[in-house]
Amino acid sequence: MTEYDNTNSGVVYKPYEDQQFAGAGKLNIEGTDYKIITVKESLSKGGDPVRVGYGRMGVLFNNDRKGNDKAPQFSGPIDTHPSLRMAAWVKEKDGMHYMSLNVSEKQQAAAAEAPQSAPIHQTDDDIPF
């Protein structure tokens, strides 16, 4: 049996029925501030609710798809890996909406890829003042 490879991919679903957004803020760990949220869940053995802390790892911006239906609807940088970005597509299966996630190398801006012209060298005689 072939094992499913989910490297550099992920999925986001609606919260489970027992999950509830509990708060947002920051947490300082050894001098570094982190943005966090807490989610109230029924994870404990006795069924008592717990608050689970989640840390920010990136941001997704609305993406201008420019008429390309295959382009991601959202994309943005990954805070913990500056050379990577994440992209997201909203999908539906069996009436359930979810976001499919993909991680890839950041794309270089077109200007950065354009060939550079040779620098112009001037002597002091060419300076007009």
Side-chain angles (χ1 to χ4, degrees):
M1 174 185 255
T2 304
E3 188 174 322
Y4 177 69
D5 181 8
N6 62 353
T7 303
N8 291 333
S9 66
V11 66
V12 176
Y13 297 104
K14 273 179 55 174
Y16 294 112
E17 288 184 21
D18 72 331
Q19 291 178 320
Q20 179 183 9
F21 176 73
K26 70 176 184 174
L27 173 66
N28 184 288
I29 301 174
E30 297 182 344
T32 301
D33 285 337
Y34 296 92
K35 291 183 179 182
I36 67 163
I37 64 165
T38 56
V39 175
K40 183 178 174 184
E41 300 179 353
S42 298
L43 289 180
S44 66
K45 292 180 182 179
D48 292 330
V50 296
R51 273 86 177 156
V52 180
Y54 295 92
R56 175 184 158 148
M57 50 81 52
V59 62
L60 290 169
F61 297 100
N62 289 332
N63 201 21
D64 181 1
R65 300 172 82 181
K66 299 179 183 175
N68 180 355
D69 291 340
K70 293 185 179 186
Q73 290 160 284
F74 307 96
S75 64
I78 297 177
D79 298 342
T80 57
H81 295 79
S83 65
L84 300 177
R85 66 184 280 277
M86 62 180 155
W89 294 259
V90 176
K91 297 185 177 187
E92 180 183 352
K93 184 175 181 180
D94 300 329
M96 185 169 165
H97 289 88
Y98 65 96
M99 282 197 324
S100 176
L101 304 174
N102 182 274
V103 175
S104 63
E105 294 287 328
K106 282 187 178 177
Q107 297 174 353
Q108 300 299 320
E113 294 177 5
Q116 300 293 321
S117 60
I120 299 172
H121 297 285
Q122 293 183 319
T123 64
D124 289 342
D125 296 337
D126 295 330
I127 299 174
F129 55 85

